[in-house]
Amino acid sequence: MKLLIALALCALLGCAAGQDGGAPPEQRFIGKPVQRTALTDVGTREVKLTAYTGNLLFATEFEFKCVEAGAGCDAPAAGTTVSGVFVKGKSEASGTVEGLEPETLYDCYVITNDKKCGKPFRVETEPVLFLGGSLYACDIVKQISQDDEGMFKPTPKIKDCRLNPTTAEDNNDDVDVPPNSIVVQDGKVTFTYGGGVLSVGVYGVQTCTLTQAGTQITDCKEVLDQAGQGLTPYFLAGLQILGKQAYVTRPDAPDVLLCTIDKDGIFTDCDQTGPDEQAFTSLYASGDKMYLSGDDGVTVCSIEANGELSGCKMAYDSEMQSTPGTAIQGSNAYITSTETDTVLLCSVKSDGTFTGCESTGLQGDFVSPEFIIIQGSTAFVTNQGFNFVTLCPILESGELAGCQKVFFNAINAITAIAV
């Protein structure tokens, strides 16, 4: 299974390590017969290298391989190796090493028949993207190209999506319920569900084990019994997990639950925390702050040592317009605004509140945007009531540009999203 994140070839002269929207990726000079190598693609499960030669008098063999980071050139190969021959004269060749693990560090080499390894490329492969509505596990692609001004900009894509990715040995039918919010953490995929076409009046939280290099899930089980906790069963929406504590929003209550996660992964001792009588659809943790998004704007709370939410105040007042999703990267905050079909870009103040909020991206990029996550230099946005996700590169300024829509053949609209 392939997941490429394209990283663009270097120019003929030396260049510094690539930065999103800036200089191209670093090239390596490893001596004759190879004069220059470039890291051209990096993905969830594969890495592509391109090597360039001088004017060769004879054909020369080469090998591309990746090893565990820090293990050295002579270490056993991780995944496949690629062998080939540089032809006589000036030549170039590309090779893709496959079968790597997601979110893992590797050193990748170009080795010629004189056994010169040179300096490796240190590469971290990408994670798996999970989408709710119907549960999908997808690979991400970022193809970086050079624009007319010589700037390298990523073009993100999604590929190789797997619907309801349970293992054949453990095909848990309960995964067919539409997830409302997903958290991927410590080898587990946890999601709230209920309220969709397939599960009207059925609400819960499930945790599954992530297996086979992020391609499948197994051992799914219920982890929150609202009635068993002495709570009136309500629709469950937002989910955030911090260590051994879980936060769940219940817009119909309305409240936020703080639960303890026991050794078996079950949510216990659930009680209300933070603001009450406000309907929140999602949660986003950033440092010691928790952001609660909903119909009236975004609320920010401090996370106390015991997990309680306190000192809650309005971070962004939407003036009664729905703002269901929030994500933060550095000093920038991104808010989805459903009624205006926009994503807002704000600056984050020292107290956690937002200022200077303006729309970003182009008109038509979003249709009732709902939830947003940021992975590296890409924003992924779901669109309420629709079966597509908008992918946007993030420029150095924080603006979203070059957005594109990815459509799915889903029974339900794409709602939850996580990596």
Side-chain angles (χ1 to χ4, degrees):
M1 180 167 301
K2 296 183 178 180
L3 168 64
L4 298 177
I5 300 181
L7 290 180
L9 297 175
C10 276
L12 290 176
L13 298 178
C15 52
Q19 301 293 326
D20 295 321
E26 184 176 5
Q27 61 184 356
R28 306 277 197 244
F29 295 85
I30 63 175
K32 295 181 178 181
V34 175
Q35 289 191 342
R36 179 169 63 92
T37 64
L39 181 66
T40 55
D41 296 317
V42 179
T44 294
R45 301 170 219 286
E46 61 185 45
V47 170
K48 183 178 180 182
L49 299 172
T50 299
Y52 305 84
T53 74
N55 196 9
L56 298 178
L57 296 177
F58 304 99
T60 303
E61 296 178 350
F62 69 85
E63 180 182 69
F64 297 154
K65 81 170 185 178
C66 298
V67 302
E68 180 184 345
C73 179
D74 295 328
T80 62
T81 58
V82 179
S83 299
V85 176
F86 294 118
V87 299
K88 180 180 177 181
K90 289 188 176 181
S91 178
E92 70 176 75
S94 297
T96 301
V97 176
E98 301 177 328
L100 303 177
E101 297 288 329
E103 297 186 274
T104 304
L105 284 173
Y106 294 99
D107 287 338
C108 297
Y109 295 88
V110 179
I111 307 170
T112 57
N113 56 359
D114 57 6
K115 301 303 180 184
K116 289 185 177 180
C117 290
K119 185 179 180 181
F121 287 95
R122 178 64 56 86
V123 177
E124 182 173 12
T125 49
E126 293 295 309
V128 176
L129 176 73
F130 285 88
L131 300 170
S134 297
L135 183 62
Y136 283 95
C138 304
D139 292 340
I140 306 168
V141 177
K142 292 180 186 175
Q143 297 180 341
I144 298 182
S145 58
Q146 193 171 16
D147 65 15
D148 294 338
E149 298 178 353
M151 299 294 288
F152 286 80
K153 297 182 179 180
T155 302
K157 297 181 182 297
I158 296 175
K159 65 180 292 186
D160 296 334
C161 289
R162 302 164 295 279
L163 177 62
N164 293 337
T166 50
T167 62
E169 296 79 11
D170 185 32
N171 190 6
N172 191 332
D173 292 335
D174 289 340
V175 177
D176 290 336
V177 298
N180 299 318
S181 185
I182 306 171
V183 172
V184 183
Q185 182 176 294
D186 299 330
K188 302 287 185 181
V189 179
T190 305
F191 57 90
T192 61
Y193 69 86
V197 174
L198 299 181
S199 56
V200 175
V202 179
Y203 313 126
V205 180
Q206 284 196 12
T207 291
C208 308
T209 300
L210 186 60
T211 64
Q212 297 187 9
T215 62
Q216 293 183 318
I217 58 175
T218 187
D219 297 331
C220 298
K221 63 182 179 182
E222 293 289 338
V223 294
L224 175 57
D225 178 2
Q226 294 186 78
Q229 290 284 313
L231 303 168
T232 301
Y234 281 113
F235 170 71
L236 302 174
L239 175 67
Q240 182 68 250
I241 296 176
L242 300 177
K244 292 299 182 181
Q245 293 180 309
Y247 300 82
V248 185
T249 65
R250 303 194 303 169
D252 295 337
D255 60 16
V256 179
L257 295 180
L258 170 59
C259 306
T260 299
I261 304 176
D262 70 14
K263 60 181 179 61
D264 297 317
I266 305 300
F267 292 12
T268 64
D269 302 324
C270 299
D271 202 358
Q272 189 273 333
T273 188
D276 55 10
E277 299 184 0
Q278 288 180 262
F280 299 112
T281 54
S282 68
L283 305 116
Y284 184 89
S286 178
D288 63 351
K289 298 289 192 295
M290 182 74 77
Y291 291 90
L292 313 171
S293 302
D295 292 339
D296 300 323
V298 182
T299 297
V300 59
C301 304
S302 295
I303 305 173
E304 301 295 338
N306 62 0
E308 293 285 347
L309 303 182
S310 66
C312 300
K313 57 188 173 184
M314 189 67 73
Y316 172 75
D317 188 348
S318 65
E319 299 180 352
M320 302 303 291
Q321 291 184 341
S322 179
T323 52
T326 301
I328 294 175
Q329 185 179 64
S331 60
N332 294 325
Y334 299 85
I335 307 171
T336 58
S337 179
T338 302
E339 277 85 357
T340 61
D341 291 337
T342 59
V343 171
L344 302 176
L345 170 60
C346 313
S347 295
V348 182
K349 298 168 64 176
S350 59
D351 64 353
T353 59
F354 303 155
T355 185
C357 297
E358 299 287 346
S359 64
T360 184
L362 298 177
Q363 184 176 2
D365 284 343
F366 314 102
V367 182
S368 300
E370 189 169 22
F371 301 123
I372 179 170
I373 64 168
I374 295 174
Q375 171 61 29
S377 60
T378 304
F380 297 81
V381 183
T382 67
N383 296 268
Q384 189 177 65
F386 294 89
N387 65 337
F388 67 88
V389 176
T390 303
L391 283 66
C392 300
I394 303 174
L395 304 183
E396 288 184 355
S397 63
E399 293 284 344
L400 306 184
C403 301
Q404 60 179 300
K405 299 183 179 76
V406 178
F407 289 83
F408 297 84
N409 295 321
I411 296 176
N412 298 314
I414 300 297
T415 54
I417 188 165
V419 290

